[in-house]
Amino acid sequence: MNRPILPGATIGVLGSGQLGRMFAVAARRMGYRVHTYSPAEDTPTGHLADREVVAAYDDLNAVADFARRVDVVTFEFENVLSATTECAARYAPVRPGGEVLHICQHRRREKNYLHDRGFPVTPFRNVDNLEQLRRAAGELGYPAVLKTAGFGYDGKGQVVVRSADELEAAWQAIGQVEAVLEAFVDFQREVSVVAARGLDGSFCHWGVVENEHRNHILDVSTPEARVSEAVRKQAIQVARGILEALDVVGVLCVEYFVAPGDRLMVNELAPRPHNSGHFTFDASLTSQFEQQVRAVCGLPLGGTELLRPASMVNLLGDLWGAGEPDWAAALSDPAVKLHLYGKAQALPGRKMGHLVAFGNDRDDARRRAIAARNALIKR
Ligand code: AMP
């Protein structure tokens, strides 16, 4: 059962976005075949896969047929129904397992799971109705953030509540659904740890990455976050504990807030390669994508050393506002690498690609990454 799945075998990926695309690059480079499954066609992963299956996630006949033709199933998109992973698991190992997905695809289940096991999370309360919301806000104080328990609810996921007067409107705004109320954290930094765990329980990580968001979307990620040694150690230790508790085989990212006084709190988990680990593709001995291949195939994990100081900036669809970005201008810095995901339509807020820049140190790399992105729109 636990024999490695060797090159030449076929890996099935649920989901078809950029994470699957980069996974497919890593898998194909190592001689694996890749099948992708999602409801969309002509997808970022499909462009690189050996086979692109277009079917709904709840079409269990199609899921069974997909799983029968692969040696292992993994995913790049966690909002797949439990029925889908359970169905796939009848025909091929699913790594990480369906239980990991089940917990991580639901904010409330995830927070309760972490809290119950003693991992540090943002103070929160479960909320099912307006009455409970009032009580929770009384306990946590203001400001607070009301978030839907499930993800992807019509883009209406989060509302900041500043006073008791705003509670009712906030409850309406999120659609009066199962939710959590979180204390608003006046954080100093947002950081993440992308980590991987092998079939044999081996563990590795790419250090603590510092993340800057714009409009709630990741904007810049720079490895070797400016945090104290105590926070660095704790972030890695917590990540390790979470991967072990969940018995993850694959890659998982833990996103944190660092609050004043070096208080570290988990914000959320992603049970797959993460945007804040994209720099590893160019800058690390083994990328998060290659590591996912190695982990789910039961191979030894590769080294994760950072080869050179680097920084990553996202390229959102907004950059296309004035026409095609000036790629040559961005690449005029020879230390810049361009990644584009092959998406046909550049919509505002849509992740179209990213740039990675190298530098003499982390600040230099960050500056060069941002300068290269700015060059895209300066003509
Ligand atoms: P999330 O979708 O929960 O990761 O939230 C997206 C972003 O909103 C985070 O990366 C933070 O920048 C911000 N945010 C979310 N929750 C909180 C909170 N409790 N306190 C402060 N900022 C938050």
Side-chain angles (χ1 to χ4, degrees):
M1 185 67 195
N2 282 351
R3 264 183 312 170
I5 294 162
L6 297 173
T10 303
I11 309 174
V13 182
L14 296 173
S16 61
Q18 62 268 18
L19 301 175
R21 181 185 181 91
M22 290 181 267
F23 175 84
V25 170
R28 293 191 72 152
R29 197 172 64 174
M30 290 175 72
Y32 289 94
R33 289 171 179 276
V34 176
H35 292 185
T36 175
Y37 183 110
S38 83
E41 55 188 329
D42 190 26
T43 60
T45 311
H47 295 164
L48 282 147
D50 295 85
R51 181 164 178 257
E52 180 178 48
V53 177
V54 182
Y57 290 118
D58 60 1
D59 179 349
L60 298 185
N61 287 328
V63 171
D65 185 57
F66 174 77
R68 260 190 223 111
R69 294 169 186 232
V70 301
D71 297 287
V72 58
V73 172
T74 187
F75 48 85
E76 63 104 53
F77 170 73
E78 66 265 35
N79 290 331
V80 199
L81 304 166
S82 290
T84 304
T85 47
E86 280 162 21
C87 172
R90 287 202 279 278
Y91 305 98
V94 176
R95 295 177 182 152
E99 180 63 11
V100 180
L101 223 76
H102 181 69
I103 291 167
C104 298
Q105 69 190 197
H106 192 266
R107 205 191 295 278
R108 183 147 134 185
R109 266 200 296 273
E110 179 179 291
K111 281 191 176 297
N112 284 281
Y113 178 91
L114 295 172
H115 180 257
D116 292 350
R117 282 158 187 78
F119 294 109
V121 290
T122 316
F124 75 101
R125 295 287 184 277
N126 297 326
V127 167
D128 285 312
N129 53 51
L130 188 55
E131 192 47 43
Q132 285 180 3
L133 175 60
R134 290 210 170 93
R135 199 174 330 127
E139 289 167 11
L140 294 175
Y142 297 94
V145 192
L146 183 62
K147 301 182 177 182
T148 53
F151 288 97
Y153 177 75
D154 217 6
K156 294 179 190 162
Q158 300 190 20
V159 187
V160 176
V161 193
R162 292 189 176 75
S163 70
D165 300 342
E166 295 180 9
L167 288 174
E168 195 161 345
W171 180 240
Q172 301 288 342
I174 65 152
Q176 310 182 56
V177 291
E178 218 191 344
V180 289
L181 185 72
E182 274 180 34
F184 187 88
V185 181
D186 196 13
F187 55 78
Q188 291 173 319
R189 294 187 204 296
E190 289 188 84
V191 301
S192 58
V193 172
V194 180
R197 192 162 168 270
L199 198 55
D200 60 356
S202 51
F203 172 81
C204 73
H205 62 83
W206 285 266
V208 182
V209 182
E210 189 165 331
N211 301 319
E212 300 164 60
H213 291 81
R214 204 195 283 176
N215 300 327
H216 295 272
I217 302 174
L218 185 65
D219 187 37
V220 183
S221 280
T222 310
E224 315 216 297
R226 293 164 298 165
V227 291
S228 67
E229 185 55 17
V231 166
R232 195 189 72 78
K233 277 195 176 138
Q234 192 194 355
I236 289 162
Q237 191 191 11
V238 167
R240 182 175 194 144
I242 293 171
L243 272 90
E244 288 177 354
L246 287 167
D247 195 19
V248 169
V249 175
V251 173
L252 183 140
C253 173
V254 186
E255 291 185 76
Y256 298 98
F257 296 136
V258 185
D262 269 1
R263 275 184 311 128
L264 187 73
M265 294 170 225
V266 177
N267 174 33
E268 66 181 22
L269 309 179
R272 47 163 173 78
H274 188 258
N275 197 168
S276 64
H278 285 2
F279 73 88
T280 63
F281 210 153
D282 299 298
S284 304
L285 191 58
T286 307
S287 74
Q288 60 172 350
F289 304 103
E290 179 180 336
Q291 209 76 296
Q292 186 184 12
V293 174
R294 287 171 174 246
V296 304
C297 290
L299 293 172
L301 302 182
T304 53
E305 293 92 304
L306 186 67
L307 301 173
R308 278 181 66 184
S311 183
M312 183 230 57
V313 293
N314 270 335
L315 305 178
L316 301 185
D318 312 61
L319 285 167
W320 274 251
E324 190 70 13
D326 188 348
W327 305 120
L331 295 175
S332 66
D333 180 342
V336 168
K337 308 289 243 181
L338 172 66
H339 294 252
L340 287 173
Y341 308 147
K343 297 183 183 177
Q345 239 194 328
L347 302 171
R350 189 173 197 203
K351 291 177 181 172
M352 302 296 289
H354 67 266
L355 296 172
V356 172
F358 295 100
N360 298 325
D361 55 36
R362 66 185 306 287
D363 292 337
D364 184 39
R366 180 180 174 281
R367 188 186 51 72
R368 288 169 87 149
I370 292 170
R373 183 171 62 186
N374 289 340
L376 289 173
I377 40 177
K378 274 190 212 142
R379 271 146 226 263

